[in-house]
């Protein structure tokens, strides 16, 4: 099959690799119709996530059709149209039984190499989905591929991060980073009751996008902290959502937060230390939340918001490329010339 791979850091290729096979009774094979490129893929692309092997498919966003299932799969049948989480969860361990799927004993990430479970990626014609019953989710017909592709990761990640910000009606929310996750966090912050959302980024057209969603745009430069204070009667943001994944952005998120604020970080971090002293944490009384999004736990509300037309994440899509042009898609997204790149992998069989 054809798949995108990382022959070396900073270079993606589309090449022929061997087809994945069912390995365990709870596996499904999914024929990917649409894949996409995520900000997390850029961490792989730039070598911030180490150990990704050449010749192995990368990527973790997918919509597709179940091709075949192991005998232990109960909830899906060949022909079902699905998307799924960017990580598998067994559904049975201590963590899964409490709904903490991202802490599953068996969890692995698709397309992040052996340090993260070594699962093949989804920027590929076929992908093996372990624990299909708890990793996949069926897509209702009202949800298009362009919407569904965002359910398995960025939309659910934004939902998870915003939910953990504990926004109260009337709050001023700052969103640091206006990529796909940040822009969806802007929309969701209003849904969760924010009176004001301030979006911070360095890229002017991303700030313009945030503004079109109702946010107040602020350039993430040396004056950013002053600007946010000015917009919040001098106190700083009540809730901060961080959607970048670099230490300088987390530092900015902490600086724009008022005392007793909650800072909810969605960014993928590989840094060893927090960019904040315990002294400052003591002085500010803040709550910091960070981590991998527990996406399986929020599929329900996210699908509800989509089917009822309350959120339109498909508006983020700026590029649709065939899989073979994936390497170019990575360049466009990395250089911020694209906001969301979809990869058209194969056509769904007509039913
Ligand atoms: P993206 O790369 O498109 O977005 C990042 C945005 O941050 C860009 O618009 C960039 O211009 C901006 N930025 C960079 N440095 C900044 C700074 N110092 N201050 C303000 N803005 C800055 O990626 P995305 O797809 O929106 O993903 C955002 C982050 O979320 C990434 O780190 C990604 O890995 C992470 N992510 C995490 C999870 C999870 O489970 N927690 C899931 C999906 C994505
Ligand atoms: Zn992702």
């Amino acid at each position: 099959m054809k798949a995108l791979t990382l022959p070396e850091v900073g270079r993606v290729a589309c090449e022929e690799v061997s087809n994945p096979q069912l390995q365990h009774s709870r596996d499904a094979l999914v024929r990917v119709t649409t894949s996409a490129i995520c900000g997390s893929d850029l961490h792989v692309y730039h070598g911030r996530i180490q150990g990704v092997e050449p010749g192995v498919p990368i990527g973790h966003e997918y919509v597709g059709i179940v091709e075949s299932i192991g005998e232990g799969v109960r909830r899906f049948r060949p022909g079902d149209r699905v998307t799924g989480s960017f990580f598998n969860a067994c559904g049975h361990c201590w963590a899964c039984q409490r709904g903490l799927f991202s802490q599953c004993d068996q969890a692995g990430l698709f397309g992040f190499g052996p340090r993260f479970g070594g699962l093949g990626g989804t920027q590929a014609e076929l992908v093996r989905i372990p624990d299909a019953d708890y990793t996949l989710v069926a897509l209702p017909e009202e949800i298009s591929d362009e919407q569904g592709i965002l359910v398995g990761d960025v939309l659910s990640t934004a939902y998870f991060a915003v939910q953990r910000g504990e926004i109260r009606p009337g709050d001023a929310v700052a969103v640091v980073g206006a990529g796909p996750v940040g822009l969806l966090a802007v929309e969701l912050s209003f849904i969760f009751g924010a009176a004001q959302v301030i979006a911070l980024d360095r890229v002017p057209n991303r700030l313009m996008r945030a503004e079109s969603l109702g946010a107040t745009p602020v350039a993430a430069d040396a004056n950013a902290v002053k600007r946010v204070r000015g917009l919040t009667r001098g106190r700083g943001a009540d809730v901060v959502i961080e959607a970048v994944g670099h230490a300088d952005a987390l530092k900015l998120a902490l600086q724009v937060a008022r005392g007793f604020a909650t800072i909810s970080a969605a960014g993928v971090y590989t840094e060893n230390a927090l960019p904040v002293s315990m002294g400052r944490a003591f002085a500010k009384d803040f709550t910091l939340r960070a981590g991998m999004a527990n996406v399986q736990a929020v599929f329900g509300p996210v699908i509800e918001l989509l089917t009822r037309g309350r959120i339109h994440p498909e508006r983020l899509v700026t590029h649709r490329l065939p899989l073979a042009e994936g390497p170019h898609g990575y360049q466009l997204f990395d250089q911020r010339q694209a906001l969301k790149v979809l990869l058209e992998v194969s056509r769904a069989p007509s039913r």
Side-chain angles (χ1 to χ4, degrees):
M1 66 167 182
K2 289 262 183 301
L4 300 189
T5 61
L6 191 77
E8 58 188 324
V9 168
R11 185 167 71 86
V12 169
C14 180
E15 57 181 348
E16 195 64 33
V17 301
S18 52
N19 284 2
Q21 310 288 338
L22 294 176
Q23 290 178 16
H24 303 288
S25 64
R26 303 192 312 140
D27 288 357
L29 277 188
V30 169
R31 182 160 297 275
V32 178
T33 49
T34 305
S35 190
I37 306 174
C38 173
S40 300
D41 294 320
L42 294 181
H43 299 306
V44 172
Y45 184 63
H46 290 298
R48 280 165 53 84
I49 307 274
Q50 287 169 1
V52 176
E53 295 156 320
V56 177
I58 55 174
H60 57 272
E61 296 182 324
Y62 55 107
V63 166
I65 307 291
V66 175
E67 174 110 341
S68 56
I69 54 172
E71 68 269 24
V73 174
R74 296 279 169 269
R75 297 183 179 171
F76 298 94
R77 287 285 162 267
D80 287 352
R81 180 167 162 268
V82 294
T83 184
S85 174
F86 62 90
F87 60 88
N88 69 298
C90 77
H92 302 291
C93 70
W94 188 93
C96 282
Q97 289 208 331
R98 286 158 183 79
L100 310 174
F101 302 103
S102 53
Q103 297 297 322
C104 171
D105 287 349
Q106 310 292 320
L109 303 176
F110 296 101
F112 282 89
R115 287 181 57 204
F116 298 92
L119 302 179
T122 66
Q123 290 160 357
E125 289 176 311
L126 281 169
V127 59
R128 179 179 75 88
I129 308 290
D131 303 311
D133 282 341
Y134 294 91
T135 306
L136 296 176
V137 60
L139 282 176
E141 254 172 40
E142 313 88 281
I143 297 185
S144 67
D145 278 17
E146 302 206 339
Q147 296 177 317
I149 188 79
L150 304 164
V151 169
D153 186 0
V154 292
L155 178 56
S156 297
T157 293
Y159 187 100
F160 180 72
V162 169
Q163 185 181 45
R164 299 218 306 164
E166 294 187 353
I167 295 169
R168 285 168 304 181
D171 274 354
V173 177
V175 176
V176 180
V181 173
L183 290 168
L184 292 168
V186 168
E187 280 195 83
L188 287 162
S189 294
F190 283 121
I191 292 175
F192 274 78
Q196 183 191 13
V197 180
I198 300 163
L200 300 107
D201 201 294
R202 291 168 171 167
V203 180
N205 63 25
R206 294 199 167 189
L207 284 174
M208 279 165 59
R209 281 265 184 173
E211 191 172 19
S212 75
L213 297 171
T216 308
V218 167
D221 58 21
N223 292 321
V225 178
K226 220 159 95 193
R227 292 277 325 274
V228 174
R229 295 238 171 91
L231 289 164
T232 52
R233 304 182 202 287
R235 67 176 191 270
D238 302 305
V239 173
V240 184
I241 311 296
E242 180 283 337
V244 180
H246 287 287
D248 51 357
L250 187 56
K251 205 166 163 185
L252 178 60
L254 292 161
Q255 286 171 333
V256 299
R258 67 160 165 81
F260 276 102
T262 296
I263 298 106
S264 179
V268 166
Y269 281 89
T270 49
E271 281 75 2
N272 286 325
L274 282 173
V276 63
S277 70
M278 268 316 287
R280 189 164 166 81
F282 178 80
K284 290 289 284 275
D285 269 308
F286 62 68
T287 299
L288 174 64
R289 292 183 156 154
M292 194 162 102
N294 189 14
V295 298
Q296 278 90 326
V298 303
F299 279 159
V302 161
I303 286 179
E304 234 13 68
L305 287 170
L306 281 173
T307 50
R308 294 180 191 282
R310 291 289 311 279
I311 190 159
H312 291 281
E314 70 282 5
R315 291 178 188 154
L316 297 175
V317 175
T318 53
H319 292 71
R320 293 166 192 80
L321 302 174
L323 185 67
E325 287 177 35
H328 181 50
Y330 267 81
Q331 287 170 345
L332 290 173
F333 183 51
D334 182 45
Q335 292 159 10
R336 314 285 182 219
Q337 290 167 26
L339 179 58
K340 191 71 193 174
V341 180
L342 298 197
L343 301 170
E344 290 166 348
V345 184
S346 55
R347 265 181 222 286
S350 50
R351 281 195 268 173

